[in-house]
Amino acid sequence: MATTTLSAPTARKTTIALKLLMAVTGAFFVLYVLLHMYGNLKVLAGQEAFDTYAHHLRTFGEPMLPYGGLLWIFRILLLGSLIGHAYAAFTLWSRAGSARKTKYAVLKTAASAQWMRWGGVAILLFVVWHLIHFTIVKPVINVDGPDAAAIKASPYTMVVASFQLWWMVLIYLLALAALGLHLAHGVFSAQQTLGFTQTPKARARAKGIGNLTAALVVVGFAIPPLSILFGLVK
Amino acid sequence: MATSTKSDPKNMDLTLRIWRQDGPSDRGHLQTYEVSDISPDMSFLEMLDVLNEQLNAKGEEPIAFDSDCREGICGMCGLMISGHAHGPEKTTTCQLHMRSFKDGDTITVEPWRADAFPIIKDLVVDRSSFDRIIQAGGFISVNTGSAPEANAAPVPKQKADRAFQSAECIGCGACVAACPNASAMLFMGAKVTHLGELPQGQPERWARVVSMVSQHDHEGFGGCTNTGACSVACPKGIPQDVISTLNKDLRTAMRQGG
Amino acid sequence: MTDLIHGVYTEGEKIADTKAPKVPVAGMWEKRKMDAALVNPANRRKLSVIIVGTGLAGGAAAATLGEAGYHVKSFCYQDSPRRAHSIAAQGGINAAKNYKEDGDSVYRLFYDTVKGGDYRSRETNVYRLAEVSANIIDQCVAQGVPFAREYGGLLDNRSFGGVQVSRTFYARGQTGQQLLIGAYQALERQVAAGTVEMFTRHEMLELIVEDGRARGIIARDLVTGEIQTHLADAVVLASGGYGNVFFLSTNAMGSNVTANWRAHRKGAYFGNPCYTQIHPTCIPVSGDHQSKLTLMSESLRNDGRIWVPKKREDCEKDPRTIPEADRDYYLERIYPAFGNLVPRDIASRQAKNMCDEGRGVGPMVGDFRRGVYLDFADAIKRLGQKAVEEKYGNLFDMYARITGENPYETPMRIYPAVHYTMGGLWVDYDLQSTIPGLFVTGEANFSDHGANRLGASALMQGLADGYFVLPNTIRDYLAKGPFPKVSEDAPAVVEARTAVEERTKRLLAIKGERSVDSFHKELGNIMWEYCGMERTEAGLLKAIDLIRGLRAEFWRNVKILGSADTLNQSLEKAGRVADFLELGELMCIDALHRAESCGGHFRAESQTEDGEALRHDDQFLYVAAWEFGDGESDPNQPGSTMGAPVLHKEDLVYEAIELKQRSYK
Ligand SMILES: Cc1cc2nc3c(=O)[nH]c(=O)nc-3n(C[C@H](O)[C@H](O)[C@H](O)COP(=O)(O)OP(=O)(O)OC[C@H]3O[C@@H](n4cnc5c(N)ncnc54)[C@H](O)[C@@H]3O)c2cc1C
Ligand code: HEM
Ligand code: HEM
Ligand code: SF4
Ligand code: F3S
Ligand code: FES
């Protein structure tokens, strides 16, 4: 039988290396998301607290960093991570597709790989929309006329105005669901990829951490929009 | 279904949808067969033996499927049974018994599907890619006669136990069959963990993992997304944590410039 | 030509092993290794060796010869060398390491093996086996074989198979698997290094003998059907045992005698074909559909108690309702000293006796219930369910899976099953058969186990042969080479190849009515009935007749569909069954001529007053080495030309051990 063995194999070119890239970038996303969530919760503390916080983000590190410097570093890292993460995800996705070209007529195993991929795409679409919404275009949908400019100027008012709309809240909640699912598996998965789960106990712990992170993120992010919708924050 | 006269009320009549494929280039299709009076004490493969005897008598070529030891240890057998690798129980196909099914059931039988396991005929696939992964480094280089006294290197019980548990892999390929990505990480993780837990396995540890994983990718298996379906299907219960060890070892190898 | 004896065989000249040096056993192997010629490393690459079989014997040999630098071609019929039947061995492997300081030694292992074999094995070979046993463990541990260990991290041993020392190394119930994976990995390492060429899903169908030497094989690629010629300087058969002649056995479905039988037909003598080991603790047959039998480790007899009801009427009852007074713990009764731990042959025969008396349990199979109870109720009471679970959990699970019964609640049922064949091709001290250049190792040779094999010694023999013995002895032969190149169209090669092609065509052309399996089952029934646990002259004569009739029918009436140029499992089976149909006859002839009882061979005519085996050392202290008797080509069975075989005796000489009648009472 033919035996083709590879000459000069390298660790960097393996599928596991791609997974490592995904885990590291994913972990960075998680860090970002948690910080972002913490920031959002400041909405509950009122306009001043929230706007100061947004301002702070941009002045952090001054004068060593220019205005918005840290934010930009973060943004660049985020963008790089996103590219890396998505590149790895799509490479592995297409690899998996060609690893089994003939599908089973009946298959009863977990579909979580597909969930992760489509979930990731959903998150990506959401982020694009979210950036348009809050960072780039900032369409103010709730209010017309000159008030709009004023609203745009304060992140706080922008957020509050948006989430007074039920369908806007719904969009965010759907996005959070996708994010929650992605993180529930993803946070466990990253630990497995990084090799932190070498005993059954460690694996159970990693699953726990995954579920906990997901729950925290979903709940934490959902509180501000829901509070606004139900009039607890005005 | 044809009315059958059962020799025992516990016996079953079943509808089987079985993958038939003449050879590697044939497209293949699912073919429906009826079997009757199947005793719950039969193994799944004995049930197929019965069907094959019937086909032979009718002048239809029997269904090709692999098996050898029929006691769950050689790893030769392996069928996708109604969407479960090795069927609904945690065992090999040869040790699956018909008492796991009910009278009147329809059972779909397919070969392992993975491009790294090309189909030879009907339900028989070529798993030589597994051998090539082992060739790439799944061994400890020791020539006959050059071994030191066996008790010279004690192995802590815990490590010995984990090595043993990982060494239980029978190379059946169910992990690949069940994995949504057709990845062979569980098989490979089992070997890397088996050898990596032992003092004898240390000198080649990092080089081994790099060569094996590279060969794995080269064979066309998919990457792992930590789904865990492999471990659920594995008849030997190889836990998913061997994949974690595999990943960790690769990471270490990478740090060392592998 | 001498006259036919019993109407079925003739007797030829005696043979003898000429290779063992004439020195006391203890120094013999060292001397043989010293005397064996060396091959210069640079010349090794030019020497090629074909090894059929990748079990412990073949896999270990291929790896070792590959490391040494020879060009090796390795064959197996499975899809990977790792699946050879050695993988199924459960219990363990013996070695005279004396780690337990319980008085073990090379000599004691040697002695136990000879005694266990009922004084029908060759002293010289067995001594060597015991001598190299310790090296095997070192080798395997270095390869990463995960043997059981104690908390201190050192290797654990247990006592096994009725001996009084703990010398058995084990890896839970999967010792064979772990050892084989070790050999397999060493083999794959050589495949990667390019010294071993691997041919999986290839079946050897003929031996090529050119100029009196074994020079190659004809093999069929089981995937493409291609008939291939492979030439080499020497051929090694490590093709395992032939227990499947009984159809039902603990052997793998594909285990066969074909490699051995084809060599036998080409001139290799077959040693002691009738010596078969029937293992007492197997899961009983549950019905006609059964395709194979499953062994339950012998270790179960350490704690389980074997019994049958005293009264036949009780046989159908729920065993738990049968009071203690109505149970017959027959092994404890008959053999108070050893009780449930008597050797395999004795335990098996007594189980059969109980069932033949009508006191068997379980479902009716044919006219009898074929099963006895193996009861753990006492053990569970004594040790607690947890302790029993820890020790035997995986075996209990396996039993539950196969039978659907819970052995913690109802006693297990067990029955003897064919397990191992001590017979095989005759070899000398160098493991060379009567055909120069044809070596035979592992279960395929007539081996070191005499008339009965002790537990945990087949693995030891396979690895001893493969790692240490063959590589040293074959070099003495290869040093005479490279032999003149054989061309693919040399008459002997063409003849062998044509024979295979013709036979394949003939089998497919019969287009009869009966499936291959139906012939195999019928042969199995004949063998089990007349050449099984108890043999009689009348029965064996009858069996020979029946087998001949069945063989004739096979060649007239077998039905094999499909073609020769693809994977065709019926065709593969047919070739194997055709050879079994000839082997079966030889086994019966061998059993017929040996009118004594020894080890696994119990002749009803030769027993003591209380029904124990009675050896006749004055008449039968020899190895029966059978030469194939070419017969007339019979128009009734065009595929078979089996004639009366010729018996050659090799006298057994005991110098280091005194002959005794075995007793376990
Ligand atoms: C269930 C079971 C449990 C056992 N437990 C123990 C135990 O605990 N301890 C112990 O010492 N022994 C045990 N034995 C016995 C022992 O396992 C075997 O005797 C031993 O493993 C035989 O090894 P081998 O290498 O000679 O042959 P095998 O392992 O049988 O290998 C035969 C090889 O030959 C190949 N082959 C055969 N015919 C052909 C052909 N025509 N063409 C090409 N290739 C061919 C096969 O593919 C295979 O690779 C057990 C046996 C069984 C059945
Ligand atoms: C471009 C869009 C995205 C796609 C296509 C995508 C896809 C994937 C895929 C396929 C995986 C691997 C799943 C697995 O291992 O089972 C993954 C892992 C992960 N993703 Fe995403 N994802 C995307 C965006 C994100 C975002 C925005 C975050 C965080 C907020 C995120 C966090 C994670 C984490 C933490 C992991 C775990 C890493 C690992 O598996 O090792 N992903 N993603
Ligand atoms: C209800 C939930 C959310 C609210 C109220 C919210 C609000 C905001 C606001 C107000 C900004 C602008 C901040 C600024 O420019 O100072 C912002 C930016 C951003 N948000 Fe969110 N967000 C939510 C959820 C999410 C989620 C789930 C993700 C990611 C998966 C996300 C990712 C981002 C990113 C990447 C930016 C751009 C940061 C930058 O400017 O670099 N947000 N968000
Ligand atoms: S890991 Fe399990 S499923 Fe995969 S090959 Fe090994 S035994 Fe089979
Ligand atoms: S199912 Fe597949 S994705 Fe990984 S964890 Fe198992 S190999
Ligand atoms: S046939 Fe050996 S594991 Fe099933």
Side-chain angles (χ1 to χ4, degrees), chain B residues 46 53 56 65-66 68-71 74 95 99 121 131 135 143-144 149-150 155 171 191 194, chain C residues 64 67 78 80 83 97 99 138 144 184-185 188 201 253-254 291-292 401-402 515 559 567 569:
Chain B
E46 284 166 353
E53 285 286 290
N56 197 66
F65 62 88
D66 266 333
D68 202 28
C69 74
R70 294 215 179 173
E71 42 183 272
C74 73
Q95 287 286 291
R99 64 182 79 85
K121 185 172 179 172
D131 290 335
Q135 280 160 30
N143 282 1
T144 304
E149 154 61 35
V155 185
K191 185 49 58 197
H194 161 206
Chain C
T64 305
E67 286 159 11
Q78 294 94 341
S80 164
R83 310 208 197 281
K97 277 281 196 188
Y99 281 161
D138 297 343
Y184 157 74
Q185 287 170 188
E188 293 296 357
R201 292 199 199 264
M253 301 300 284
S291 60
K292 77 153 294 193
R401 172 157 357 254
I402 293 175
S515 71
K559 178 177 190 176
L567 181 71
Q569 293 172 329

Side-chain angles (χ1 to χ4, degrees), chain C residues 222-281:
Chain C
L222 299 179
V223 174
T224 63
E226 187 194 357
I227 307 290
Q228 304 168 340
T229 304
H230 295 273
L231 298 167
D233 292 291
V235 177
V236 179
L237 299 186
S239 48
Y242 51 82
N244 271 355
V245 64
F246 289 86
F247 185 72
L248 287 180
S249 82
T250 62
N251 288 9
M253 301 300 284
S255 293
N256 67 85
V257 77
T258 292
N260 267 5
W261 194 254
R262 295 286 120 196
H264 174 55
R265 293 187 62 118
K266 282 276 162 76
Y269 293 1
F270 212 115
N272 299 331
C274 82
Y275 288 164
T276 317
Q277 178 164 84
I278 306 208
H279 198 293
T281 50

Side-chain angles (χ1 to χ4, degrees), chain A residues 217-230:
Chain A
V217 166
V218 172
V219 174
F221 271 118
I223 287 173
L226 289 175
S227 311
I228 293 165
L229 184 66
F230 293 114

Side-chain angles (χ1 to χ4, degrees), chain C residues 270-582:
Chain C
F270 212 115
N272 299 331
C274 82
Y275 288 164
T276 317
Q277 178 164 84
I278 306 208
H279 198 293
T281 50
C282 300
I283 300 178
V285 176
S286 69
D288 289 339
H289 57 263
Q290 193 111 5
S291 60
K292 77 153 294 193
L293 295 170
T294 304
L295 177 76
M296 301 278 285
S297 170
E298 193 151 34
S299 61
L300 288 170
R301 285 201 278 148
N302 288 335
D303 286 307
R305 295 181 70 195
I306 297 174
W307 62 277
V308 290
K310 281 188 180 158
K311 295 179 276 187
R312 289 182 189 199
E313 314 83 83
D314 285 351
C315 291
E316 279 170 67
K317 284 195 190 154
D318 179 342
R320 287 167 295 185
T321 65
I322 303 175
E324 212 43 40
D326 290 337
R327 301 176 176 192
D328 180 8
Y329 295 90
Y330 57 91
L331 288 177
E332 297 169 27
R333 172 171 58 82
I334 309 175
Y335 308 96
F338 278 74
N340 292 303
L341 292 174
V342 290
R344 292 174 178 180
D345 49 340
I346 295 175
S348 295
R349 194 152 32 76
Q350 291 300 356
K352 176 178 154 54
N353 289 343
M354 296 304 130
C355 296
D356 288 354
E357 279 174 27
R359 295 197 284 145
V361 297
M364 286 293 249
V365 178
D367 304 336
F368 294 104
R369 297 177 194 281
R370 295 181 199 258
V372 298
Y373 290 123
L374 174 62
D375 200 336
F376 278 81
D378 278 359
I380 291 176
K381 224 181 285 160
R382 185 162 41 89
L383 309 165
Q385 168 144 350
K386 230 184 129 193
V388 171
E389 217 175 299
E390 251 163 48
K391 256 175 143 168
Y392 305 112
N394 54 347
L395 294 167
F396 278 40
D397 291 349
M398 182 167 84
Y399 181 86
R401 172 157 357 254
I402 293 175
T403 61
E405 289 170 18
N406 179 352
Y408 294 101
E409 280 169 10
T410 37
M412 294 186 184
R413 286 174 293 111
I414 55 168
Y415 197 66
V418 174
H419 178 56
Y420 183 88
T421 48
M422 280 74 71
L425 292 185
W426 184 90
V427 290
D428 60 19
Y429 190 67
D430 278 2
L431 304 182
Q432 183 167 227
S433 71
T434 48
I435 302 176
L438 179 70
F439 292 77
V440 191
T441 61
E443 194 174 339
N445 71 23
F446 86 107
S447 93
D448 305 349
H449 309 294
N452 175 52
R453 176 178 69 82
L454 284 184
S457 57
L459 300 181
M460 171 171 68
Q461 185 221 339
L463 288 179
D465 287 1
Y467 285 131
F468 300 107
V469 180
L470 179 84
N472 278 303
T473 59
I474 201 172
R475 74 178 142 87
D476 190 51
Y477 179 80
L478 290 170
K480 300 186 196 108
F483 302 101
K485 213 174 140 43
V486 180
S487 111
E488 290 231 359
D489 38 47
V493 179
V494 175
E495 184 268 325
R497 202 187 159 94
T498 323
V500 171
E501 285 163 355
E502 295 280 297
R503 200 168 129 97
T504 310
K505 263 193 229 136
R506 182 167 284 152
L507 283 169
L508 285 168
I510 298 169
K511 297 200 192 327
E513 297 287 326
R514 285 181 64 181
S515 71
V516 177
D517 268 3
S518 78
F519 283 101
H520 195 176
K521 274 187 192 173
E522 192 173 333
L523 173 66
N525 284 337
I526 298 171
M527 294 301 293
W528 180 248
E529 200 53 43
Y530 303 109
C531 198
M533 270 182 283
E534 190 173 307
R535 300 146 179 202
T536 64
E537 179 175 328
L540 289 162
L541 284 167
K542 180 167 177 199
I544 293 169
D545 240 29
L546 290 171
I547 293 171
R548 288 181 178 168
L550 187 64
R551 195 164 64 219
E553 191 192 342
F554 176 87
W555 285 104
R556 264 199 329 268
N557 198 24
V558 73
K559 178 177 190 176
I560 306 158
L561 299 168
S563 71
D565 53 10
T566 60
L567 181 71
N568 186 337
Q569 293 172 329
S570 309
L571 180 63
E572 291 165 27
K573 273 191 241 165
R576 294 170 193 159
V577 171
D579 289 334
F580 281 140
L581 281 163
E582 294 187 355

Side-chain angles (χ1 to χ4, degrees), chain B residues 120-200:
Chain B
I120 293 173
K121 185 172 179 172
D122 295 341
L123 303 169
V124 177
V125 301
D126 176 359
R127 285 167 292 198
S128 53
S129 45
F130 269 13
D131 290 335
R132 290 189 292 276
I133 291 177
I134 298 297
Q135 280 160 30
F139 48 74
I140 289 171
S141 298
V142 50
N143 282 1
T144 304
S146 58
E149 154 61 35
N151 258 346
V155 185
K157 186 99 168 80
Q158 219 180 350
K159 283 182 174 281
D161 284 350
R162 187 158 189 249
F164 179 82
Q165 185 189 33
S166 314
E168 282 192 80
C169 163
I170 57 174
C172 62
C175 44
V176 175
C179 172
N181 309 313
S183 176
M185 292 291 168
L186 194 68
F187 165 76
M188 206 167 29
K191 185 49 58 197
V192 162
T193 307
H194 161 206
L195 300 178
E197 287 286 353
L198 297 172
Q200 293 83 359

Side-chain angles (χ1 to χ4, degrees), chain C residues 611-647:
Chain C
E612 296 303 323
L614 185 62
R615 269 188 0 239
H616 294 295
D617 294 338
D618 50 334
Q619 300 168 55
F620 293 103
L621 192 60
Y622 62 79
V623 173
W626 296 91
E627 179 185 351
F628 185 74
D630 227 338
E632 304 285 295
S633 156
D634 175 352
N636 260 331
Q637 36 178 311
S640 171
T641 55
M642 193 171 166
V646 187
L647 170 66

Side-chain angles (χ1 to χ4, degrees), chain B:
Chain B
M1 191 174 287
T3 48
S4 88
T5 43
K6 289 186 194 156
S7 57
D8 186 309
K10 287 199 297 277
N11 288 3
M12 294 168 269
D13 295 345
L14 302 164
T15 304
L16 301 167
R17 295 165 69 225
I18 299 182
W19 185 260
R20 300 298 313 252
Q21 181 172 339
D22 271 351
S25 52
D26 182 32
R27 285 196 53 211
H29 64 282
L30 281 170
Q31 171 100 29
T32 304
Y33 302 96
E34 310 279 336
V35 285
S36 51
D37 205 23
I38 296 298
S39 153
D41 288 333
M42 282 183 189
S43 73
F44 195 82
L45 297 182
E46 284 166 353
M47 183 274 293
L48 289 181
D49 289 342
V50 168
L51 172 62
N52 272 345
E53 285 286 290
Q54 286 172 16
L55 292 179
N56 197 66
K58 277 197 292 186
E60 267 183 69
E61 210 184 316
I63 299 153
F65 62 88
D66 266 333
S67 79
D68 202 28
C69 74
R70 294 215 179 173
E71 42 183 272
I73 193 72
C74 73
M76 186 95 173
C77 64
L79 300 174
M80 202 69 175
I81 299 168
S82 294
H84 296 285
H86 288 308
E89 315 278 337
K90 195 161 192 66
T91 186
T92 54
T93 304
C94 61
Q95 287 286 291
L96 175 68
H97 281 70
M98 295 311 292
R99 64 182 79 85
S100 302
F101 299 90
K102 295 190 311 293
D103 190 28
D105 274 358
T106 296
I107 306 172
T108 308
V109 187
E110 295 176 81
W112 287 169
R113 292 206 184 281
D115 285 37
F117 287 169
I119 293 179
I120 293 173
K121 185 172 179 172
D122 295 341
L123 303 169
V124 177
V125 301
D126 176 359
R127 285 167 292 198
S128 53
S129 45
F130 269 13
D131 290 335
R132 290 189 292 276
I133 291 177
I134 298 297
Q135 280 160 30
F139 48 74
I140 289 171
S141 298
V142 50
N143 282 1
T144 304
S146 58
E149 154 61 35
N151 258 346
V155 185
K157 186 99 168 80
Q158 219 180 350
K159 283 182 174 281
D161 284 350
R162 187 158 189 249
F164 179 82
Q165 185 189 33
S166 314
E168 282 192 80
C169 163
I170 57 174
C172 62
C175 44
V176 175
C179 172
N181 309 313
S183 176
M185 292 291 168
L186 194 68
F187 165 76
M188 206 167 29
K191 185 49 58 197
V192 162
T193 307
H194 161 206
L195 300 178
E197 287 286 353
L198 297 172
Q200 293 83 359
Q202 299 312 310
E204 295 165 291
R205 185 164 179 187
W206 317 120
R208 171 184 309 125
V209 66
V210 176
S211 317
M212 287 177 75
V213 177
S214 303
Q215 186 68 32
H216 166 276
D217 294 352
H218 176 72
E219 294 290 348
F221 292 103
C224 171
T225 52
N226 303 323
T227 311
C230 50
S231 197
V232 173
C234 175
K236 296 292 144 179
I238 304 284
Q240 217 183 332
D241 52 48
V242 300
I243 301 181
S244 195
T245 302
L246 173 71
N247 294 334
K248 176 74 187 296
D249 279 11
L250 188 98
R251 188 150 64 85
T252 311
M254 210 186 248
R255 237 195 6 246
Q256 300 193 343

